[in-house]
Structure formats: structure tokens, C-alpha cells
């Protein structure tokens, strides 16, 4: 048992990666679905959500944002909002984890070196034509996974605004009971809006839930990052930590559809307690439907002990997860850092 997190499932993989050195892979992409008002809180406005993935990547690699003016701070309930990218930044700095960026299809290109898996971004899933080239993205992801298999293990995170909606779309298309079970970045989860958007997309694609394969689901109502992350996992032969919540459930569903015999003991999901304890969603049930062998780790950074109001917002249901925050914090804890050390580093990064 590691301090600062709760494990749902086996700790076998933790034992295998203890004292090993990981690489953090940030997979970025955009979907025009994020432009729908009220569907995503991952940006100061719907238009700014298109810059979120590129800015997250730049921040992690350069410690600054070049693609847009990110100086304007978002004030929520009188506190300065702290993006999940800062949690990830703190964890990877504390644990000295190298970062690789995979651009699965971002409308705004980050001003850093990337592994480019696609030049096309995702469209509005209401059209039923969300991604033109999911198989190409997946195959390029496999090649990246093969190259990265020289490392001990991978921690794979994502940045895509409206990603819980596209993840819901993929899960729904593949026949999973996902209604009202996906998480969101706001205290009030807009389930009705998400359901309506996905329903329109599936109808326009001519897809009946449960009667399509994963590439058809991705093409109709998915986003580029899901195809990419599934490819990276399938191309690798080393332990994998999927750093996130709902989007990682969709990634696992895609993997299961491609290979029904996939060894899910090689893969764990690591997220935040804010996702697992979210009463407006049910990640544990989604994963149970996909494969009960998938272990989930929920990290508790104990933000109630912090003096930063921006971190208290996580306790109120804002943001919850993103940019691989849960998985990166999990990795720092596995490498032996305490929760207090992790939180202190997060406070330092948020205050700089």
C-alpha cells in the first residue's frame, strides 16, 4: 500500500515498476466538439479550448506558453484556477521524469518538437464524421509505442478539450452502458448535452450502438488522442500506466475491440480521487464492463491541507483531471516521494 492513493484491483504492476524509470507521453489533439458552448471547461472560452492541448505541451516542455496569450488567469469562486498541467509539471519535475509529446491531431500546433501522428484535427462529432484517418493515427501510434519500448515503462496522458464527450461517444458506439457515467471538468456535469451531441453524431453516421467496430466508432464520434493512445499501447511491449479517467476507459475499450485477448494485467489506469469519487460519473463501472482485470489507482494529493484556493477548487468538483495529472502524481509516489513532498512541489509550481 502506497501512501496517498487507493488501489482498486491488483498491485502486481506497481511491484514490477518500483525502482524503474518511466517516460511520460503527452498525447495531444483537438476536436471541434469543444466549440459547443457548455460542453467543456478546459479553456476560458469555447474558442480558447482549441489552444489548450498545444499550450499544455509547451508548458510541460518549455515551462512557458508560446501558442497563445496565456497570461490571463481564470478566476473561479474568487480563486485563481490551477490547471492540471501544473500538477503534472510538478510531479515530473519532482520525480525527474522525461517528457515525450505525441501530436495526434491538434488544430493549433505547439512550438516544440513533437512526434507527429496526424496532420488533421478532429471535427465536431455531431456530423458523424469526427476523424477522417483513425487507422492512420492508430498505426503511427503503434510505431511510436515500438520505439518507446526501450524504456522501463510508459505513463501516457492526454490533453484534448471535450475529451470526456468523445470518449462517451466511443463507449456508446461500442455498446457499453455509458450514459451518465463519464466524468467532466465542471462541478455540474452536462450529461444531457453530451448525450444529445453523441446521439446526433451516431445518427448522422448511421451507427446503432453495439453494431460497429472501434475504427468506425472513432471515425464517427471519437477524437484523435484515443486512436493514438490505443496505438501506443498496442505497439509497446512494456508496462503501461494510462494517466487519466474517462478517456482512458475509451482507450481500453478500443484496445479490447482490436484484441479481445489483450493482457490487461500489463496496463493500469492512474487518475485522481476527484474522478473516482465523482458522484456524477462512474469510472469504476465503465472499467468493470470493459475488463475487470484493469487496475485503477486513485491519487489523493490532500489539497485540503493547502493554502492555495486554486487547489481547493479541485475539492469542489472543478477540473478533476487532465494532462496526465493523476498518472504523473502516481508515478512520483511510486518512485518514493511522499504526498506532502508532492503537494509542496505542486504549490511551488502553482505559485511561480
Amino acid at each position: 500500500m502506497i501512501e496517498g492513493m487507493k488501489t482498486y484491483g491488483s498491485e502486481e504492476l506497481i511491484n514490477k515498476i518500483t525502482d524503474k524509470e518511466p517516460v511520460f507521453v503527452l498525447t495531444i489533439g483537438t476536436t471541434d466538439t469543444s466549440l459547443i458552448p457548455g460542453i467543456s471547461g478546459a479553456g476560458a472560452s469555447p474558442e480558447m479550448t482549441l489552444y489548450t492541448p498545444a499550450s499544455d505541451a509547451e508548458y510541460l516542455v518549455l515551462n512557458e506558453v508560446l501558442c497563445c496569450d496565456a497570461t490571463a488567469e481564470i478566476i473561479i469562486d474568487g480563486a485563481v484556477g490551477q490547471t492540471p498541467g501544473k500538477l503534472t509539471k510538478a510531479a515530473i519535475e519532482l520525480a525527474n521524469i522525461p517528457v515525450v509529446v505525441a501530436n495526434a491531431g491538434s488544430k493549433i500546433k505547439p512550438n516544440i518538437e513533437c512526434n507527429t501522428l496526424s496532420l488533421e484535427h478532429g471535427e465536431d462529432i455531431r456530423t458523424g464524421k469526427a476523424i477522417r484517418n483513425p487507422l492512420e493515427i492508430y498505426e503511427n501510434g503503434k510505431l511510436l509505442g515500438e520505439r518507446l519500448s526501450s524504456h522501463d515503462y510508459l505513463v501516457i496522458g492526454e490533453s484534448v478539450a471535450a475529451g470526456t464527450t468523445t470518449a462517451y461517444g466511443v463507449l456508446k458506439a461500442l455498446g457499453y452502458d455509458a450514459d451518465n457515467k463519464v466524468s467532466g471538468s465542471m462541478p455540474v456535469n452536462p450529461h444531457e448535452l453530451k448525450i444529445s451531441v453523441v446521439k446526433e453524431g451516431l445518427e448522422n453516421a448511421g451507427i446503432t450502438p453495439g453494431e460497429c467496430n472501434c475504427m468506425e466508432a472513432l471515425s464517427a464520434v471519437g477524437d484523435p488522442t484515443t486512436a493514438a493512445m490505443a496505438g501506443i499501447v498496442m505497439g509497446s511491449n512494456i508496462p503501461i500506466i494510462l494517466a487519466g479517467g474517462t478517456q482512458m476507459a475509451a482507450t481500453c475499450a478500443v484496445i479490447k475491440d482490436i484484441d479481445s485477448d489483450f493482457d490487461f494485467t500489463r496496463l493500469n489506469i492512474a487518475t485522481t480521487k476527484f474522478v473516482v469519487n465523482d458522484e456524477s460519473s462512474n469510472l469504476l463501472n465503465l472499467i468493470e464492463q470493459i475488463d475487470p482485470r484493469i487496475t485503477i489507482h486513485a491519487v489523493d494529493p490532500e489539497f485540503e491541507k493547502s493554502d492555495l484556493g486554486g487547489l481547493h477548487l479541485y475539492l469542489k468538483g472543478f477540473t478533476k483531471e487532465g494532462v496526465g495529472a493523476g498518472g504523473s502524481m502516481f508515478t512520483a509516489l511510486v518512485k518514493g516521494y511522499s504526498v506532502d513532498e508532492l503537494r509542496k512541489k505542486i504549490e511551488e509550481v502553482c505559485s511561480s
Side-chain angles (χ1 to χ4, degrees), residues 90 301 338-350:
S338 69
V339 178
D340 288 342
E341 288 174 311
L342 175 61
R343 187 178 57 258
K344 181 178 179 181
K345 182 64 176 179
I346 291 171
E347 291 171 338
E348 176 187 314
V349 168
C350 289

Side-chain angles (χ1 to χ4, degrees), residues 209-258:
E211 297 183 7
C212 69
N213 63 41
C214 63
M215 291 301 158
E216 292 169 331
L218 287 165
S219 178
V221 290
D223 73 65
T225 65
T226 307
M229 292 187 294
I232 295 170
V233 172
M234 295 296 283
S236 68
N237 58 12
I238 56 177
I240 298 288
I241 301 299
L242 290 179
T246 299
Q247 289 96 315
M248 299 313 170
T251 300
C252 289
V254 169
I255 292 168
K256 182 71 174 285
D257 187 71
I258 292 171

Side-chain angles (χ1 to χ4, degrees), residues 41-44 52 55-57 59-60 65 70 72-76 79-91 159 185 272 303 308-311 313-314 318-326 328-329 346-347 349-351:
T52 298
S55 63
D56 283 336
Y59 175 65
L60 286 191
V65 175
E73 296 173 327
I74 302 174
I75 307 298
I76 304 172
V80 179
Q82 302 293 347
T83 72
K86 291 190 175 182
L87 278 55
T88 302
K89 180 70 171 177
S159 177
S185 57
T272 66
F303 285 159
L308 289 182
L311 295 181
L313 292 174
Y314 283 84
F318 290 97
T319 308
K320 302 182 185 72
E321 170 66 280
V323 202
S328 59
M329 292 191 295
I346 291 171
E347 291 171 338
V349 168
C350 289
S351 302

Side-chain angles (χ1 to χ4, degrees), residues 105-126:
S106 182
K107 197 168 193 174
I108 307 299
K109 306 298 187 290
N111 294 286
I112 55 174
E113 183 177 341
C114 292
N115 294 274
T116 301
L117 308 185
S118 175
L119 297 175
E120 297 190 41
H121 69 279
E123 305 289 344
D124 188 328
I125 65 173
R126 291 177 296 185

Side-chain angles (χ1 to χ4, degrees), residues 184-188 274 278 312-320:
S185 57
M186 297 171 283
V188 178
F274 312 116
D278 179 13
H312 290 179
L313 292 174
Y314 283 84
L315 305 172
K316 298 178 180 180
F318 290 97
T319 308
K320 302 182 185 72

